[in-house]
Amino acid sequence: MARLAYAGMLAFVLAATLPLHRVFRLGVLRQPRRLAQAVLPVAAVFLGWDAVATAIGVWSFDPGQVLGWSILGMPVEEWAFFLVVPLAGLLTYEAVGVVLDRRSRRGAETAQKPST
C-alpha cells in the first residue's frame, strides 16, 4: 500500500480539483494549447533540475513509496507531479476568479438598487 503513496496523493489532488472545471464552467481543459504553454516550460525546467539533483545525490525517492517505474532515473509520479500540481493550481485560480467575479457583480447590483 505504501507504494501508492505518491500516486495516491496525485490522484487526490486531481479528484479534488478536476470537478472545479465542471462546477464553475472553466475553460482550462478546453484550451489545451494554452494549458501546455503554461505548464510545459515550467515543468521542463523543474524536471531538469530534479534530474540533475537526483543524479548527483542531492535527494532521492523512497522506492517503497513509488510505483517503481522510472524515466531518466525519476519515478513516473515525479513527472506526473509537474503536470498535476500546475493543473490543479490553474483550476483553483480560475475557480476563485469566477467566485470573486460573481461576488463583485452581486455587490454592484446591490449598490445600484434604489433605496426605499
Side-chain angles (χ1 to χ4, degrees), residues 1-99:
M1 194 64 148
R3 292 181 86 58
L4 297 175
Y6 200 171
M9 180 274 303
L10 294 173
F12 176 78
V13 169
L14 280 177
T17 56
L18 275 178
L20 296 173
H21 195 269
R22 173 164 272 177
V23 170
F24 293 103
R25 297 185 177 127
L26 306 176
V28 174
L29 299 178
R30 283 181 247 133
Q31 301 174 46
R33 181 175 284 153
R34 287 184 73 193
L35 178 60
Q37 288 172 336
V39 172
L40 295 180
V42 176
V45 168
F46 282 105
L47 283 166
W49 175 351
D50 244 9
V52 170
T54 303
I56 64 174
V58 173
W59 62 70
S60 62
F61 300 93
D62 182 355
Q65 295 188 26
V66 294
L67 297 174
W69 308 319
S70 64
I71 301 169
L72 300 176
M74 291 187 303
V76 294
E77 295 93 334
E78 186 72 354
W79 290 81
F81 174 89
F82 290 108
L83 300 174
V84 169
V85 172
L87 174 60
L90 285 170
L91 288 168
T92 303
Y93 178 82
E94 291 293 323
V96 168
V98 169
V99 170

